[in-house]
């Protein structure tokens, strides 16, 4: 990995993660860079993790979209870099609506006091729907990844740990009528998974 590659990735990540809408071409360019040099995935995952910890839903949804595209296009080579801190950020997104901060923000908005407070202190209906969308997206992604890479659980402990924690806590993961995740065929490398073969 050269400094020029790191700089190009950093510039692309900044464009993708600081936008107000999904930058499809930039996201695909990031996937191409990571496929060409898988060691860059660690940098990308670190930046994605940082955006997942934002208090506004838009940057979080952009980061989730990029993360989803990276894993779908790069497969195991990218998923290996989902560390404990990134997995923890994903779990936190699913559990966000259970936090006192989220509850306070919703109550402030409902009480009508949100106009007097700084932006971001209250959670309006639009933000609530986006946080719900983020939570659903995380559950969908974790289900896809665990189905796609079930033979590699030892290499993906943070991913499987997050999945098991949420499952134990009673969260429902999306499933198709075949019992496997919908869209499993869209993940690079998933064709060797027993879940892929069972759903074929």
């Amino acid at each position: 990995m050269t400094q020029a590659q790191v700089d190009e990735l950093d510039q692309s990540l900044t464009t993708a993660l600081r936008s107000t809408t999904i930058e499809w071409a930039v996201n695909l360019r990031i996937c191409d860079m990571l496929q060409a040099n898988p060691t860059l995935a660690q940098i990308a995952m670190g930046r994605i993790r940082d955006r997942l910890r934002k208090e506004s839903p838009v940057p979080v949804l952009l980061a989730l979209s990029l993360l989803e595209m990276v894993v779908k296009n790069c497969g195991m080579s990218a998923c290996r870099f989902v560390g404990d801190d990134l997995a923890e950020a994903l779990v936190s997104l699913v559990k966000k609506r259970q936090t006192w901060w989220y509850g306070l923000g919703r109550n402030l908005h409902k009480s009508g006091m949100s106009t007097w407070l700084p932006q971001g202190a209250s959670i309006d209906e639009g933000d609530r729907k986006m946080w719900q969308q983020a939570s659903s997206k995380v559950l969908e992604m974790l289900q896809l990844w665990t189905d796609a890479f079930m033979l590699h659980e030892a290499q993906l402990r943070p991913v499987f740990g997050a999945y098991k924690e949420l499952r134990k806590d009673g969260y429902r993961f999306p499933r198709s009528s075949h019992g496997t995740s919908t869209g499993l065929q869209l993940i690079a490398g998933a064709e060797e998974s027993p879940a892929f073969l069972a759903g074929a």
Side-chain angles (χ1 to χ4, degrees):
M1 147 175 50
T2 67
Q3 188 58 44
Q5 290 172 321
V6 171
D7 292 343
E8 182 184 2
L9 176 65
D10 192 52
Q11 183 179 17
S12 296
L13 286 167
T14 299
T15 301
L17 295 173
R18 295 196 185 270
S19 180
T20 56
T21 184
I22 298 173
E23 299 289 343
W24 296 103
V26 176
N27 286 0
L28 287 173
R29 186 170 64 228
I30 291 168
C31 292
D32 290 342
M33 284 186 251
L34 299 181
Q35 285 174 332
N37 191 344
T39 58
L40 291 171
Q42 186 172 9
I43 296 168
M45 294 302 181
R47 291 284 301 278
I48 290 169
R49 177 204 60 228
D50 294 344
R51 296 305 279 184
L52 290 177
R53 296 190 187 276
K54 294 292 183 186
E55 290 301 322
S56 173
V58 173
V60 169
L61 288 169
L62 291 172
L64 286 173
S65 295
L66 177 57
L67 179 59
E68 179 181 33
M69 286 181 77
V70 165
V71 173
K72 281 185 175 180
N73 285 284
C74 301
M76 270 293 291
S77 64
C79 209
R80 280 189 180 112
F81 290 100
V82 175
D84 291 328
D85 48 353
L86 179 53
E88 180 185 313
L90 292 170
V91 169
S92 294
L93 283 174
V94 174
K95 294 182 174 183
K96 184 169 189 68
R97 292 185 298 155
Q98 296 173 353
T99 64
W100 70 270
W101 182 254
Y102 182 89
L104 177 65
R106 283 298 291 154
N107 287 333
L108 286 172
H109 176 73
K110 289 177 183 178
S111 70
M113 294 176 56
S114 61
T115 56
W116 299 331
L117 298 170
Q119 185 177 4
S122 71
I123 299 173
D124 65 15
E125 189 60 23
D127 284 350
R128 185 192 70 78
K129 286 181 180 177
M130 284 192 276
W131 284 121
Q132 193 171 18
Q133 182 183 355
S135 176
S136 296
K137 177 55 72 179
V138 170
L139 292 172
E140 177 187 327
M141 288 172 18
L142 286 173
Q143 183 67 63
L144 279 169
W145 299 348
T146 55
D147 282 351
F149 305 121
M150 65 174 49
L151 297 176
H152 304 282
E153 183 174 353
Q155 297 170 326
L156 303 175
R157 289 188 196 280
V159 171
F160 281 86
Y163 174 80
K164 288 175 182 178
E165 177 183 340
L166 292 170
R167 198 153 194 80
K168 185 182 81 173
D169 290 347
Y171 289 94
R172 298 191 62 175
F173 289 82
R175 303 294 268 180
S176 75
S177 59
H178 297 291
T180 59
S181 302
T182 56
L184 189 60
Q185 67 276 10
L186 300 176
I187 297 182
E191 58 277 353
E192 65 186 50
S193 170
F196 180 84
L197 298 172

